[in-house]
Amino acid sequence: MLRVDDVHTYYGDSHILQGVSLEIPRAAIVGILGRNGAGKTTLVRSVMGFTPARRGRILFDEAEITRLRPYRIARLGLCVVSQGRQIFPSLDVAETLAVGARPKPDGWTVEKVYELFPPLRARAHHPAGRLSGGEQQMLAIGRSLMTNPSLLLLDEPTEGLSPLYIEAVGHVIRTLQQSGMSMLLVEQRLRFALLYADYVHIMSRGKIVHSSSPQELGRDADVRARYLGV
Amino acid sequence: MEFWVNQTFNGVSYAALLFLLGGGLTLIFGVMKIVNIAHGSFYLVGGYLGVALVAATGNFYLALLGAALAVAAGGVILERVFLRAVEGDDLRQMLLTMGIALFFQDACLLVWGGDPFNLRGPAYFAQSVKLGGFTFPILRLFMIAAAGVLFVVLWWFQEKTRAGAMVRAAIDNAEMTEALGINVPILKMAVFGLGAFLAGVAGVVGSAFMGIYPGLDFEILPYAFVVVIVGGMGSLSGAFVAALVLGLLDNFGKALFPEISYFTLFAPMAIVLAFRPTGLFGRA
């Protein structure tokens, strides 16, 4: 469904992604692990079109999206839950869910998002900036679901969350996968990624340095120590 | 008593002009994150076009609408053709608006010459309404009504419509807004056009109030900045409140302490910046 083919991305003159290739099959969760500064977020930004790749190609459902504007990429069925949640402080919860909604038959509705995340219903008319970190993460995921994506890019969705919320996010990821959604799951938490991903890549210095099943990585203490420090 | 009523009224009508001027600038800053140096030019061109259209049609309201729409169209074209070309580079965009401002300064001098113009409104603008022993000039009442109506309409649009929520989302976080599939480039163009429209209205109304002449573009620009900075960049309600506070302060300052009149307008800005660097309604 998504194919990243030898992608090179720069910030100004710094060469961040140095030839990254990977594939995300339909209804699969592909995990990306790596230390800070490995290029994980840059990979997400390149796919979403925020920081377009300078070389290489990115294909989504066989269509080239490498240099499309983010809103065009989004309309093809791709959405991102960005690191740090990126909530709109000027909007309340209901407005946040409605603002980017692209309804689809049998797709996500405000009602379904509230069923998935009950705490949001009670907060419908609260400013989004006043929600707790966990509630903001629910809102960030809900906001993306309202665009009815077929591929969701999750950039460290458990960052800064309490164990209870981490479990809730994991549960949602499972639910979404069962509904046929594909996901790119960028994570710092090894255990979380191993639990939910169907396939994992480790990035280091802008390259993919290890690819395997999560079970294999779980057994390979040497790789974990070398690239993740755990 | 008469002094206070008259000065308050004058202050509010001056505030109306300040809001028309600063409201557009704050919207443009909010969505595009650039300081539009050409905002004074939009005012100037709007004023001159207003004068020309009043002369051609004899109808002030037609001239007001025509001039403001023409300035808005010009703004849309400038955004689309020039600012878009250096998108993502805030400094270059700002320098470009500086260049645009200098261009229009000379272009206006070339077209309309160096003499000042007075924009002639309808005859009743020169009359007054008497109410409870006080007299209120109709021109000033019109300024207040125009600013009031535009503020209410814009506030309703921003707070109560989905398109308005898109604008607020883009002010908060343009990147995330675009990732939801919202066409942010079009949004920016529309907001730039809207800001130019408001400056055009201010130009026509302002010209009826105090005339128009070369150099006025850069003369009024600091006033627009003060409104935006005190109100908080990107906040329409902030611009409204700031314009009101500044209009009243400036008027009473000039009436009570004429020798420090410039101080009364810029001192509040310094105080607000010292205690709330993001402005009264601003976000960090």
Side-chain angles (χ1 to χ4, degrees):
Chain A
M1 135 156 284
L2 184 83
R3 204 166 91 221
V4 176
D5 190 9
D6 192 29
V7 156
H8 293 256
T9 302
Y10 294 71
Y11 285 132
D13 289 332
S14 9
H15 193 176
I16 307 293
L17 294 188
Q18 307 183 0
V20 172
S21 302
L22 61 84
E23 267 188 65
I24 304 179
R26 194 166 297 277
I29 300 178
V30 172
I32 304 283
L33 290 155
R35 291 191 170 114
N36 277 331
K40 306 185 300 293
T41 293
T42 307
L43 174 62
V44 170
R45 294 183 58 84
S46 295
V47 174
M48 200 62 228
F50 292 154
T51 311
R54 214 175 281 178
R55 275 183 285 146
R57 299 203 316 155
I58 302 174
L59 300 171
F60 180 62
D61 278 342
E62 308 302 318
E64 170 143 15
I65 60 166
T66 321
R67 267 169 282 273
L68 288 186
R69 287 215 55 124
Y71 79 91
R72 291 201 176 277
I73 295 174
R75 287 177 185 184
L76 293 174
L78 230 149
C79 203
V80 65
V81 176
S82 286
Q83 193 178 13
R85 307 187 261 276
Q86 312 296 337
I87 284 302
F88 305 128
S90 310
L91 274 59
D92 66 25
V93 168
E95 283 175 330
T96 303
L97 293 177
V99 74
R102 271 199 310 283
K104 212 166 81 174
D106 292 324
W108 286 93
T109 60
V110 176
E111 192 49 41
K112 283 186 190 168
V113 170
Y114 287 157
E115 273 166 31
L116 189 65
F117 300 118
L120 290 184
R121 189 195 300 271
R123 301 240 174 208
H125 298 293
H126 285 235
R130 300 256 179 83
L131 303 184
S132 72
E135 289 166 341
Q136 288 191 359
Q137 188 62 64
M138 291 176 176
L139 182 60
I141 296 173
R143 169 178 71 183
S144 294
L145 293 179
M146 290 297 289
T147 71
N148 282 304
S150 47
L151 171 63
L152 197 55
L153 313 171
L154 295 154
D155 194 355
E156 301 205 14
T158 66
E159 189 189 24
L161 297 187
S162 67
L164 207 64
Y165 276 120
I166 293 175
E167 206 184 303
V169 169
H171 173 73
V172 167
I173 288 175
R174 268 282 177 269
T175 312
L176 295 178
Q177 184 182 24
Q178 278 156 10
S179 77
M181 197 180 289
S182 316
M183 275 164 272
L184 182 75
L185 175 63
V186 171
E187 261 303 332
Q188 291 265 25
R189 272 175 229 277
L190 175 66
R191 279 190 38 184
F192 190 84
L194 294 184
L195 198 55
Y196 293 103
D198 301 308
Y199 204 74
V200 287
H201 301 282
I202 297 179
M203 287 184 72
S204 174
R205 296 175 187 215
K207 289 182 178 139
I208 289 179
V209 290
H210 170 91
S211 305
S212 72
S213 69
Q215 294 78 10
E216 222 171 296
L217 180 60
R219 287 192 298 267
D220 197 337
D222 182 42
V223 166
R224 290 205 313 269
R226 192 167 350 144
Y227 297 116
L228 304 173
V230 290
Chain B
M1 182 64 189
E2 192 179 342
F3 168 81
W4 293 101
V5 171
N6 279 340
Q7 292 306 326
T8 303
F9 178 69
N10 287 349
V12 171
S13 56
Y14 183 50
L17 192 58
L18 284 178
F19 170 72
L20 292 175
L21 189 62
L25 190 63
T26 207
L27 281 176
I28 290 174
F29 181 87
V31 174
M32 307 189 63
K33 307 291 180 234
I34 57 163
V35 176
N36 176 30
I37 307 286
H39 210 67
S41 317
F42 293 165
Y43 177 97
L44 191 74
V45 173
Y48 277 128
L49 285 177
V51 170
L53 284 171
V54 165
T57 66
N59 185 322
F60 172 78
Y61 298 99
L62 215 59
L64 175 65
L65 192 67
L69 285 177
V71 173
V76 164
I77 292 168
L78 288 173
E79 199 280 333
R80 182 99 222 180
V81 176
F82 295 102
L83 294 178
R84 185 75 55 85
V86 288
E87 199 196 354
D89 190 337
D90 302 357
L91 197 58
R92 273 193 203 173
Q93 284 195 321
M94 201 191 86
L95 283 173
L96 200 53
T97 65
M98 179 85 195
I100 292 167
L102 293 173
F103 170 80
F104 278 108
Q105 190 179 37
D106 270 6
C108 286
L109 196 62
L110 198 69
V111 176
W112 284 287
D115 293 330
F117 285 95
N118 276 313
L119 192 147
R120 278 237 303 262
Y124 54 79
F125 270 13
Q127 295 165 0
S128 299
V129 177
K130 285 199 169 49
L131 204 76
F134 304 106
T135 52
F136 301 105
I138 290 180
L139 170 59
R140 284 178 180 268
L141 284 173
F142 171 76
M143 287 162 62
I144 295 170
V149 166
L150 279 170
F151 172 69
V152 170
V153 169
L154 289 173
W155 181 88
W156 171 82
F157 167 76
Q158 258 208 326
E159 299 297 324
K160 302 292 170 198
T161 69
R162 185 166 165 209
M166 288 179 187
V167 172
R168 278 181 290 143
I171 289 175
D172 283 346
N173 190 331
E175 206 169 65
M176 193 58 227
T177 304
E178 190 165 346
L180 296 176
I182 293 167
N183 191 338
V184 172
I186 290 271
L187 209 63
K188 283 184 175 176
M189 192 177 79
V191 167
F192 199 81
L194 179 63
F197 177 87
L198 288 176
V201 170
V204 177
V205 172
S207 301
F209 182 58
M210 56 186 190
I212 188 156
Y213 46 87
L216 191 57
D217 44 356
F218 283 98
E219 215 172 283
I220 53 120
L221 197 58
Y223 293 88
F225 287 161
V226 178
V227 172
V228 173
I229 290 168
V230 171
M233 302 194 190
S235 166
L236 202 63
S237 302
F240 185 77
V241 172
L244 208 54
V245 169
L246 292 166
L248 288 169
L249 273 178
D250 190 56
N251 227 319
F252 279 105
K254 277 180 178 147
L256 297 169
F257 322 102
E259 59 279 5
I260 55 163
S261 64
Y262 221 54
F263 181 80
T264 55
L265 197 63
F266 290 96
M269 178 175 95
I271 293 169
V272 167
L273 277 179
F275 292 99
R276 277 191 70 98
T278 54
L280 295 175
F281 287 64
R283 284 178 202 288

Short mmCIF file of all heavy atoms in Angstrom, two decimals, chain B residues 73-108:
data_model
loop_
_atom_site.label_atom_id
_atom_site.label_comp_id
_atom_site.label_asym_id
_atom_site.label_seq_id
_atom_site.Cartn_x
_atom_site.Cartn_y
_atom_site.Cartn_z
N ALA B 73 -8.68 41.94 -4.56
CA ALA B 73 -8.25 41.19 -5.74
C ALA B 73 -6.75 41.36 -5.95
O ALA B 73 -6.04 40.40 -6.25
CB ALA B 73 -9.03 41.66 -6.97
N GLY B 74 -6.28 42.60 -5.77
CA GLY B 74 -4.85 42.85 -5.89
C GLY B 74 -4.07 42.03 -4.87
O GLY B 74 -3.02 41.44 -5.20
N GLY B 75 -4.58 41.97 -3.65
CA GLY B 75 -3.91 41.20 -2.60
C GLY B 75 -3.83 39.73 -2.96
O GLY B 75 -2.79 39.09 -2.79
N VAL B 76 -4.94 39.18 -3.48
CA VAL B 76 -4.96 37.77 -3.87
C VAL B 76 -3.91 37.49 -4.94
O VAL B 76 -3.16 36.51 -4.87
CB VAL B 76 -6.38 37.39 -4.38
CG1 VAL B 76 -6.35 36.07 -5.13
CG2 VAL B 76 -7.35 37.30 -3.20
N ILE B 77 -3.81 38.40 -5.92
CA ILE B 77 -2.84 38.21 -6.99
C ILE B 77 -1.41 38.28 -6.44
O ILE B 77 -0.55 37.46 -6.77
CB ILE B 77 -3.06 39.25 -8.11
CG1 ILE B 77 -4.40 38.97 -8.80
CG2 ILE B 77 -1.92 39.23 -9.11
CD1 ILE B 77 -4.86 40.10 -9.72
N LEU B 78 -1.15 39.27 -5.58
CA LEU B 78 0.19 39.40 -5.00
C LEU B 78 0.58 38.15 -4.23
O LEU B 78 1.71 37.67 -4.31
CB LEU B 78 0.25 40.62 -4.07
CG LEU B 78 0.23 41.99 -4.74
CD1 LEU B 78 0.12 43.09 -3.71
CD2 LEU B 78 1.49 42.18 -5.59
N GLU B 79 -0.39 37.60 -3.47
CA GLU B 79 -0.09 36.40 -2.68
C GLU B 79 0.22 35.24 -3.60
O GLU B 79 1.21 34.54 -3.43
CB GLU B 79 -1.29 36.08 -1.78
CG GLU B 79 -0.95 35.16 -0.62
CD GLU B 79 -0.87 33.70 -0.99
OE1 GLU B 79 -1.53 33.28 -1.95
OE2 GLU B 79 -0.12 32.97 -0.32
N ARG B 80 -0.65 35.07 -4.58
CA ARG B 80 -0.54 33.92 -5.48
C ARG B 80 0.75 33.97 -6.31
O ARG B 80 1.44 32.98 -6.47
CB ARG B 80 -1.76 33.96 -6.41
CG ARG B 80 -1.87 32.85 -7.39
CD ARG B 80 -2.81 31.79 -6.89
NE ARG B 80 -2.24 30.50 -7.17
CZ ARG B 80 -2.82 29.34 -6.85
NH1 ARG B 80 -3.96 29.34 -6.22
NH2 ARG B 80 -2.25 28.21 -7.15
N VAL B 81 1.06 35.14 -6.85
CA VAL B 81 2.15 35.23 -7.81
C VAL B 81 3.50 35.43 -7.11
O VAL B 81 4.49 34.80 -7.46
CB VAL B 81 1.91 36.38 -8.81
CG1 VAL B 81 3.09 36.55 -9.74
CG2 VAL B 81 0.62 36.13 -9.59
N PHE B 82 3.53 36.31 -6.10
CA PHE B 82 4.83 36.66 -5.52
C PHE B 82 5.12 35.93 -4.21
O PHE B 82 6.14 35.27 -4.07
CB PHE B 82 4.93 38.17 -5.31
CG PHE B 82 4.89 38.94 -6.59
CD1 PHE B 82 3.73 39.57 -7.01
CD2 PHE B 82 6.01 39.01 -7.41
CE1 PHE B 82 3.69 40.26 -8.20
CE2 PHE B 82 5.99 39.69 -8.61
CZ PHE B 82 4.81 40.33 -9.01
N LEU B 83 4.21 36.06 -3.23
CA LEU B 83 4.51 35.48 -1.91
C LEU B 83 4.60 33.96 -1.99
O LEU B 83 5.44 33.36 -1.33
CB LEU B 83 3.45 35.91 -0.89
CG LEU B 83 3.43 37.41 -0.58
CD1 LEU B 83 2.32 37.74 0.40
CD2 LEU B 83 4.77 37.85 -0.02
N ARG B 84 3.75 33.33 -2.81
CA ARG B 84 3.77 31.88 -2.94
C ARG B 84 5.11 31.39 -3.46
O ARG B 84 5.56 30.29 -3.13
CB ARG B 84 2.64 31.44 -3.89
CG ARG B 84 2.45 29.97 -4.06
CD ARG B 84 1.77 29.34 -2.87
NE ARG B 84 0.51 29.98 -2.53
CZ ARG B 84 -0.64 29.66 -3.09
NH1 ARG B 84 -0.69 28.75 -4.02
NH2 ARG B 84 -1.75 30.25 -2.71
N ALA B 85 5.76 32.22 -4.27
CA ALA B 85 7.01 31.81 -4.89
C ALA B 85 8.12 31.60 -3.86
O ALA B 85 9.06 30.85 -4.09
CB ALA B 85 7.44 32.83 -5.94
N VAL B 86 8.01 32.27 -2.71
CA VAL B 86 9.06 32.12 -1.69
C VAL B 86 8.44 31.56 -0.40
O VAL B 86 8.87 31.87 0.69
CB VAL B 86 9.80 33.44 -1.40
CG1 VAL B 86 10.70 33.79 -2.56
CG2 VAL B 86 8.84 34.59 -1.13
N GLU B 87 7.41 30.72 -0.58
CA GLU B 87 6.71 30.15 0.56
C GLU B 87 7.69 29.39 1.45
O GLU B 87 8.60 28.72 0.99
CB GLU B 87 5.63 29.19 0.07
CG GLU B 87 4.59 28.93 1.12
CD GLU B 87 3.74 27.72 0.80
OE1 GLU B 87 3.89 27.16 -0.29
OE2 GLU B 87 2.92 27.35 1.65
N GLY B 88 7.45 29.51 2.76
CA GLY B 88 8.30 28.79 3.71
C GLY B 88 9.51 29.59 4.14
O GLY B 88 10.24 29.20 5.03
N ASP B 89 9.75 30.71 3.49
CA ASP B 89 10.88 31.56 3.84
C ASP B 89 10.32 32.90 4.32
O ASP B 89 10.11 33.83 3.55
CB ASP B 89 11.78 31.74 2.61
CG ASP B 89 13.10 32.41 2.98
OD1 ASP B 89 13.13 33.10 4.02
OD2 ASP B 89 14.08 32.25 2.24
N ASP B 90 10.06 32.97 5.63
CA ASP B 90 9.36 34.12 6.20
C ASP B 90 10.07 35.44 5.91
O ASP B 90 9.45 36.45 5.60
CB ASP B 90 9.23 33.97 7.73
CG ASP B 90 8.51 32.70 8.10
OD1 ASP B 90 8.07 32.00 7.17
OD2 ASP B 90 8.38 32.43 9.30
N LEU B 91 11.40 35.41 6.03
CA LEU B 91 12.15 36.65 5.89
C LEU B 91 12.04 37.19 4.46
O LEU B 91 11.82 38.37 4.23
CB LEU B 91 13.62 36.40 6.26
CG LEU B 91 14.42 37.65 6.54
CD1 LEU B 91 13.80 38.46 7.67
CD2 LEU B 91 15.85 37.28 6.90
N ARG B 92 12.16 36.28 3.50
CA ARG B 92 12.04 36.71 2.10
C ARG B 92 10.64 37.21 1.81
O ARG B 92 10.46 38.18 1.08
CB ARG B 92 12.36 35.55 1.16
CG ARG B 92 13.82 35.48 0.87
CD ARG B 92 14.08 34.57 -0.28
NE ARG B 92 15.44 34.10 -0.18
CZ ARG B 92 15.97 33.17 -0.95
NH1 ARG B 92 15.23 32.59 -1.86
NH2 ARG B 92 17.20 32.82 -0.81
N GLN B 93 9.64 36.55 2.39
CA GLN B 93 8.27 37.00 2.17
C GLN B 93 8.08 38.42 2.70
O GLN B 93 7.48 39.26 2.07
CB GLN B 93 7.29 36.05 2.85
CG GLN B 93 7.11 34.75 2.10
CD GLN B 93 5.89 33.97 2.57
OE1 GLN B 93 5.60 33.93 3.75
NE2 GLN B 93 5.20 33.35 1.65
N MET B 94 8.64 38.68 3.89
CA MET B 94 8.49 40.01 4.47
C MET B 94 9.21 41.06 3.62
O MET B 94 8.68 42.14 3.37
CB MET B 94 9.02 40.02 5.90
CG MET B 94 8.44 41.16 6.70
SD MET B 94 9.29 41.36 8.27
CE MET B 94 10.63 42.40 7.79
N LEU B 95 10.41 40.71 3.16
CA LEU B 95 11.16 41.65 2.31
C LEU B 95 10.39 41.92 1.02
O LEU B 95 10.40 43.03 0.50
CB LEU B 95 12.55 41.09 2.00
CG LEU B 95 13.54 41.23 3.16
CD1 LEU B 95 14.84 40.51 2.84
CD2 LEU B 95 13.83 42.70 3.46
N LEU B 96 9.73 40.88 0.53
CA LEU B 96 8.94 41.04 -0.68
C LEU B 96 7.80 42.03 -0.45
O LEU B 96 7.53 42.89 -1.30
CB LEU B 96 8.40 39.66 -1.09
CG LEU B 96 7.95 39.49 -2.53
CD1 LEU B 96 9.03 39.91 -3.49
CD2 LEU B 96 7.58 38.04 -2.77
N THR B 97 7.13 41.93 0.71
CA THR B 97 6.05 42.89 0.99
C THR B 97 6.61 44.30 1.10
O THR B 97 5.97 45.27 0.73
CB THR B 97 5.27 42.54 2.28
OG1 THR B 97 6.12 42.66 3.41
CG2 THR B 97 4.68 41.15 2.22
N MET B 98 7.84 44.40 1.58
CA MET B 98 8.53 45.71 1.64
C MET B 98 8.70 46.26 0.23
O MET B 98 8.42 47.43 -0.04
CB MET B 98 9.90 45.51 2.32
CG MET B 98 10.72 46.76 2.42
SD MET B 98 10.28 47.68 3.91
CE MET B 98 11.05 49.24 3.52
N GLY B 99 9.15 45.38 -0.68
CA GLY B 99 9.33 45.79 -2.07
C GLY B 99 8.01 46.22 -2.70
O GLY B 99 7.93 47.22 -3.42
N ILE B 100 6.97 45.44 -2.40
CA ILE B 100 5.64 45.77 -2.92
C ILE B 100 5.21 47.15 -2.41
O ILE B 100 4.67 47.98 -3.15
CB ILE B 100 4.62 44.69 -2.51
CG1 ILE B 100 4.93 43.37 -3.24
CG2 ILE B 100 3.19 45.13 -2.81
CD1 ILE B 100 4.19 42.16 -2.68
N ALA B 101 5.48 47.41 -1.14
CA ALA B 101 5.11 48.70 -0.55
C ALA B 101 5.83 49.85 -1.26
O ALA B 101 5.22 50.87 -1.59
CB ALA B 101 5.45 48.70 0.94
N LEU B 102 7.12 49.67 -1.52
CA LEU B 102 7.88 50.73 -2.19
C LEU B 102 7.37 50.94 -3.61
O LEU B 102 7.27 52.07 -4.10
CB LEU B 102 9.37 50.38 -2.21
CG LEU B 102 10.03 50.37 -0.83
CD1 LEU B 102 11.46 49.85 -0.91
CD2 LEU B 102 10.00 51.77 -0.22
N PHE B 103 7.02 49.82 -4.26
CA PHE B 103 6.50 49.92 -5.62
C PHE B 103 5.21 50.75 -5.65
O PHE B 103 5.06 51.66 -6.46
CB PHE B 103 6.24 48.52 -6.18
CG PHE B 103 5.47 48.53 -7.47
CD1 PHE B 103 6.12 48.78 -8.68
CD2 PHE B 103 4.09 48.31 -7.49
CE1 PHE B 103 5.42 48.80 -9.87
CE2 PHE B 103 3.38 48.33 -8.67
CZ PHE B 103 4.04 48.58 -9.86
N PHE B 104 4.30 50.44 -4.72
CA PHE B 104 3.01 51.15 -4.73
C PHE B 104 3.16 52.61 -4.29
O PHE B 104 2.40 53.47 -4.71
CB PHE B 104 1.97 50.41 -3.88
CG PHE B 104 1.32 49.29 -4.62
CD1 PHE B 104 1.62 47.97 -4.31
CD2 PHE B 104 0.44 49.55 -5.64
CE1 PHE B 104 1.04 46.94 -5.01
CE2 PHE B 104 -0.16 48.51 -6.35
CZ PHE B 104 0.15 47.20 -6.03
N GLN B 105 4.16 52.86 -3.44
CA GLN B 105 4.41 54.24 -3.04
C GLN B 105 4.69 55.10 -4.29
O GLN B 105 4.10 56.17 -4.47
CB GLN B 105 5.62 54.26 -2.10
CG GLN B 105 5.85 55.60 -1.44
CD GLN B 105 7.04 55.54 -0.51
OE1 GLN B 105 8.05 54.86 -0.80
NE2 GLN B 105 6.96 56.24 0.60
N ASP B 106 5.58 54.59 -5.14
CA ASP B 106 5.93 55.34 -6.36
C ASP B 106 4.81 55.31 -7.38
O ASP B 106 4.56 56.32 -8.06
CB ASP B 106 7.21 54.76 -6.97
CG ASP B 106 8.44 55.46 -6.41
OD1 ASP B 106 8.25 56.29 -5.50
OD2 ASP B 106 9.55 55.18 -6.87
N ALA B 107 4.16 54.15 -7.51
CA ALA B 107 3.09 54.04 -8.50
C ALA B 107 1.97 55.03 -8.20
O ALA B 107 1.44 55.67 -9.11
CB ALA B 107 2.56 52.60 -8.53
N CYS B 108 1.63 55.16 -6.91
CA CYS B 108 0.57 56.10 -6.54
C CYS B 108 0.98 57.54 -6.82
O CYS B 108 0.18 58.36 -7.28
CB CYS B 108 0.21 55.94 -5.06
SG CYS B 108 -0.72 54.45 -4.72
#
